[in-house]
Amino acid sequence: MAKSRGEFSSTFGFVMAAAGSAIGLGNIWGFPTQTAQNGGAAFVLVYLVLAFFIGYPLLMAEFVIGRHARSNPVGAYRSIAGGKTFVPAGYFGIIVAGLILSFYSILAGWMVAHAVEPFFKLIGADHLAAWVVDQSNITRNILFTSLFYVLTIGIIIGGVKSGIEKWSSRLMPTLIFMMILLTIYVLTLDGASDGLEVYLLPDFNKITDPQLILSALGQSFFSLSLGVGTMLVYGSYIANKENLVYLGVFVTLADIAIAFLAGLLIIPAMYVAANAGTEIFDPAGNLISGPTLVFQVLPELFNSMGPVGIPVALVFFVLMSIAALTSSISMLEVPVSYAVDTRNLQRQHSTWVIGGVFWIISIILVANFETLFGMVVSFTTQYSQPLLGLIICIFIGWVMNRNSILEELKKGSPTVADSIFMKVWPVFVKVISPLLIILVFLQSLNVF
Ligand code: TRP
């Protein structure tokens, strides 16, 4: 194994990196959108329960496997006793991580494009301003997706400390600061309180809706970057002195808090837009969601604000771009870490080559958007992520040596053996989480 594979230099740096991976378009766009689609606060409640009871245990499993093996998913399964049969799952995770990067970069490219628009507006280049937000223009989509790849690759070339950690530590506090300011501002506008009501008052009739539970599970897997090995790889760079149990709690709480905050921003913003005359319901009477929400309703809202709308739009889309970047680097790091530690290749070359391969896939997706995009999204996030999560639970719950697990956890937390965590977590990864994943999965296939 390569000797200097890198390590996060501080607790803060790690938390920023892992929270940066978790916090992304999934939180600021996906979560509010899903909430709007699934009856408001009822979805929020189910989401919270699943994030804590399935997401967190799985996150811990990835941290433990990663730090124990100090390797990528393939290297980890190879080196841990009993893991040989799991190696194909390691490869599959690496590929899925890359495919997630391929579609994510397209969405992220749109965010960057919208962040550029206010500049063109300010200098009076209205033609260019209209061009950069023309969703159907393939050249524009290729250009901004490529730009986003260059940013992602640029950071990953820097490695763990001077790439991932350095940039996450700069970008994440900026993101949180901007988001709080923007939320406070939106909440002062007319109409915001109607949105707050929809967001915070649950419709309990919806809580048992299978579609709602499935969406909430998918959302929690995506949002915590689970299954594909992202958190396993980040875990492999955590210093031995760190307490994994706490780190996991921090990351989960940060992820949930930002998703919740994003809901406080976006849903009231929709009602502010409605107040200003924008249509926020579709013909069936449901709240508009998906791309229309972010790229139509919100821009209309910003436009309706007059001159102040330009800086507000700028802040919002810069924030989205930052969130996307600290997530995309964590996707690219999965295959890159495999190339570097298992194949002994040089980081810089591997990053360009691997980044280039997934960039090509992105271009194919852009060119065949209608047919391929949705397929790749559901293949990776709806099916592969829960399946891979299930495999990780089986590995850590049934195969991996219990003493090794305990020793690993003890490293940064000597008293863990007697803690409540050690009483509850093993039961979850062994039985409860796998069963819940299978149940929700079968339900999605309409077995019940
Ligand atoms: N969690 C990120 C978000 O919410 C996306 C993300 C980063 C991700 N790494 C991942 C999703 C790995 C799935 C797998 O936007």
Side-chain angles (χ1 to χ4, degrees), residues 21-22 24-27 100 104 222-223 225 228 230 327 330-331 385:
S21 165
L25 301 180
N27 300 60
I100 291 176
Y104 202 82
F222 188 79
S223 190
S225 314
V228 303
T230 288
S327 295
S330 76
M331 301 168 195
Q385 273 192 285

Side-chain angles (χ1 to χ4, degrees), residues 191-218:
S193 55
D194 296 338
L196 270 186
E197 224 164 89
V198 172
Y199 185 49
L200 298 177
L201 297 180
D203 171 357
F204 284 105
N205 291 327
K206 291 220 167 150
I207 268 182
T208 49
D209 178 355
Q211 190 50 49
L212 183 151
I213 298 175
L214 179 67
S215 307
L217 183 73

